[in-house]
Amino acid sequence: MTINWTGFAKKTPEERRELLQGLPLSDQSSAILQADQQLPLAIANQMAEHVLGRFSLPFSLVPDVLVDGQLYHLPFVTEEPSVVAAASFASKIIKRSGGFTTTIHQRQMIGQVILYDVSDLEQARQNILAQKEDLLDLANQAYPSIVKRGGGARDLEVKTYQDQANFLAVFVKVDTQEAMGANMVNTMMEALKFPLEQISQAKSLMAILSNYATESLVTAKCAIDLRFLSRDKKEARHLADKLVLASQFAKIDPYRASTHNKGIFNGIDAASLALGNDWRAIEAGGHAYASRHGSYQGLTTWTYCPEKEQVLGELTLPMPAASKGGSIGLNPSVQLAHDILGNPDAKTLAKLLVSIGLAQNFAALKALVSTGIQSGHMKLHAKSLALLAGAEEHETGPLVQALLQEQHMNLATAQKILTDLRNNG
Ligand code: NDP
């Protein structure tokens, strides 16, 4: 059954939930959705330490994200106004332009065992490489269940660092299947510590996964028809040129690149959080990748194709997404998020996350090089101020309208207008 998303933004949460009943959700997910069921306290208490309670955030939906010819409805968890609206706006335009196309380059995680005080770095390197197969076997014996699932340690490399501490790092590539793999890789790396100390005649410093997941790169591309930038063709062409310039500037100026990339992660983090994924790991890998050329750069690239009259966007990121493991099976909202998406595998989740990052960047750049982001943001800011001032639902509309007329919009102004509205109403 296809869902008619027209007017989705204007519906109430109850009406939106009703509409989602058109998706093939499990009975359990339907119940979670209808009851707005939260994480049970007993489970929360197992997930982290010193738990006092639960902490709520808005759970939203970005409908109709077209990736590799298939439509997905992407759950978002974010406290930031305008992020969901921007992702939805961009996804709609990109869908009308043919959607995203993606490439999964590889899907392995990297673990490191770091040794120091290695007296003969080259000899240690050769000795370790000579025992590569035995070391991979040892890693796999430390986590046999991933081998049974078709994954496991696949390759091993050695890097030496000639300096005061004579460091040597062993990099192990692990196929973690549907999991992000932090715990399984860490278990494997710890099992290699002692054998590596013996082989290299050195001491181990640590054994841990690297979040710079360069063996899990994913590329998302889109080609946006010029007509979607503006109805006026000349203006649309002008905006396309400015979009390309914005992408170029983010490659040369880290102050801009940081904000450019923050916008990308507005979408990726919101979807990762909804999907119970380790968004800190995804962020860390993304920012390291942004620095891979020696300076911190914007992660997306936008160019203009005059023959097709299209703006071409591209984003490549390390994306260690997971459909299993961590807290994914524990949180009812996370289970619901996966079910809304149709329970895709980890590779599909990775494609979706990179695509939504590209969409979010398009929305931000389009606003920045045209009207600026404040016109949209201020409406949402006014709404937040109205809520903070204590407006009831029926008072929010008039208060927001009045606030938007003010030169300086702040909480004091909102409170004053609300008092006036109540006195006059
Ligand atoms: P888990 O430790 O939860 O391991 C994955 C689990 O998923 C295992 O229990 C595994 O079962 C199960 N599973 C079921 N089906 C599959 C399948 N098809 N493929 C793979 N696993 C499957 O998670 P990870 O090892 O992925 O670690 C992620 C967690 O570690 C996150 O919570 C993360 O925040 C945290 N973490 C992150 C660090 C970082 O630096 N980023 C550092 C330390 C922790 P079985 O055991 O039977 O195979």
Side-chain angles (χ1 to χ4, degrees):
M1 177 180 166
T2 48
I3 291 184
N4 180 1
W5 299 99
T6 314
F8 191 60
K10 296 215 160 65
K11 292 187 188 299
T12 63
E14 290 75 18
E15 289 168 340
R16 293 190 194 111
R17 284 187 223 157
E18 198 49 47
L19 199 68
L20 255 68
Q21 294 300 341
L23 295 176
L25 298 178
S26 69
D27 290 348
Q28 193 192 359
S29 291
S30 287
I32 293 168
L33 180 66
Q34 285 313 321
D36 188 19
Q37 193 186 318
Q38 303 297 303
L39 176 67
L41 185 58
I43 295 180
N45 196 32
Q46 300 302 316
M47 284 168 66
E49 305 75 35
H50 304 189
V51 169
L52 302 174
R54 279 80 41 96
F55 181 99
S56 297
L57 282 172
F59 181 85
S60 310
L61 193 75
V62 177
D64 271 357
V65 184
L66 184 62
V67 179
D68 297 329
Q70 187 152 349
L71 276 176
Y72 298 90
H73 313 303
L74 199 53
F76 264 35
V77 170
T78 180
E79 89 296 351
E80 186 173 340
S82 91
V83 167
V84 179
S88 303
F89 161 78
S91 298
K92 196 188 276 181
I93 288 181
I94 293 168
K95 179 187 160 218
R96 288 191 190 151
S97 299
F100 299 93
T101 50
T102 68
T103 313
I104 299 264
H105 300 281
Q106 313 93 340
R107 161 82 197 163
Q108 287 178 5
M109 294 304 287
I110 299 169
Q112 292 184 302
V113 182
I114 300 159
L115 302 155
Y116 68 105
D117 280 350
V118 183
S119 53
D120 186 339
L121 284 168
E122 182 49 28
Q123 189 59 55
R125 194 181 75 84
Q126 285 179 22
N127 291 350
I128 292 167
L129 289 178
Q131 297 200 38
K132 178 169 152 175
E133 293 309 320
D134 290 344
L135 289 163
L136 291 176
D137 279 349
L138 272 179
N140 284 328
Q141 283 163 29
Y143 209 102
S145 61
I146 197 62
V147 180
K148 277 198 207 117
R149 294 184 191 281
R154 295 281 189 253
D155 198 9
L156 181 152
E157 288 169 14
V158 179
K159 198 170 163 190
T160 56
Y161 307 76
Q162 193 94 48
D163 62 13
Q164 274 182 343
N166 270 6
F167 287 117
L168 180 151
V170 177
F171 292 69
V172 184
K173 296 177 193 173
V174 183
D175 177 348
T176 58
Q177 295 281 300
E178 289 300 306
M180 179 262 198
N183 287 321
M184 54 181 78
V185 171
N186 292 346
T187 305
M188 288 180 170
M189 294 312 101
E190 287 194 1
L192 296 184
K193 258 166 73 171
F194 183 60
L196 283 169
E197 281 181 344
Q198 288 198 313
I199 298 170
S200 62
Q201 295 293 302
K203 296 173 208 155
S204 65
L205 182 65
M206 64 178 80
I208 178 103
L209 159 109
S210 167
N211 285 300
Y212 191 21
T214 50
E215 297 296 319
S216 292
L217 293 180
V218 178
T219 299
K221 293 184 186 179
C222 63
I224 300 172
D225 297 340
L226 202 57
R227 67 197 160 102
F228 291 121
L229 296 189
S230 167
R231 288 205 184 103
D232 175 341
K233 201 165 176 187
K234 208 167 146 212
E235 170 69 6
R237 183 59 222 269
H238 182 53
L239 287 180
D241 289 342
K242 284 171 83 176
L243 227 126
V244 173
L245 286 170
S247 146
Q248 286 173 1
F249 189 67
K251 302 273 184 204
I252 57 170
D253 179 68
Y255 286 86
R256 174 60 208 143
S258 166
T259 317
H260 182 99
N261 293 342
K262 188 270 181 185
I264 294 170
F265 283 104
N266 272 343
I268 294 176
D269 287 356
S272 302
L273 194 52
L275 291 161
N277 269 242
D278 186 341
W279 47 272
R280 288 87 55 207
I282 293 172
E283 278 252 359
H287 293 299
Y289 195 68
S291 309
R292 69 194 179 284
H293 299 301
S295 64
Y296 185 83
Q297 300 187 357
L299 284 158
T300 54
T301 304
W302 292 94
T303 52
Y304 180 65
C305 173
E307 293 80 27
K308 294 187 174 168
E309 296 195 325
Q310 284 179 325
V311 184
L312 310 178
E314 184 170 339
L315 172 62
T316 299
L317 274 181
M319 190 46 72
S323 71
K324 297 276 189 311
S327 68
I328 291 170
L330 299 175
N331 191 332
S333 307
V334 170
Q335 287 168 33
L336 171 63
H338 282 261
D339 210 18
I340 288 173
L341 279 174
N343 296 300
D345 63 12
K347 284 183 180 169
T348 307
L349 289 175
K351 291 178 187 183
L352 285 170
L353 290 172
V354 180
S355 297
I356 207 66
L358 185 57
Q360 204 83 52
N361 179 246
F362 170 72
L365 292 188
K366 182 178 177 295
L368 283 169
V369 300
S370 55
T371 53
I373 59 165
Q374 276 316 79
S375 62
H377 270 236
M378 288 321 271
K379 273 186 216 145
L380 294 159
H381 182 49
K383 219 166 149 184
S384 303
L385 287 175
L387 291 175
L388 277 175
E392 304 278 333
E393 209 172 334
H394 69 279
E395 295 168 325
T396 310
L399 179 48
V400 167
Q401 286 311 317
L403 266 175
L404 288 169
Q405 309 301 318
E406 293 289 326
Q407 211 172 6
H408 298 293
M409 200 195 287
N410 60 16
L411 183 58
T413 321
Q415 282 162 337
K416 183 180 174 310
I417 298 173
L418 183 61
T419 310
D420 291 349
L421 277 174
R422 284 176 178 169
N423 289 341
N424 298 332

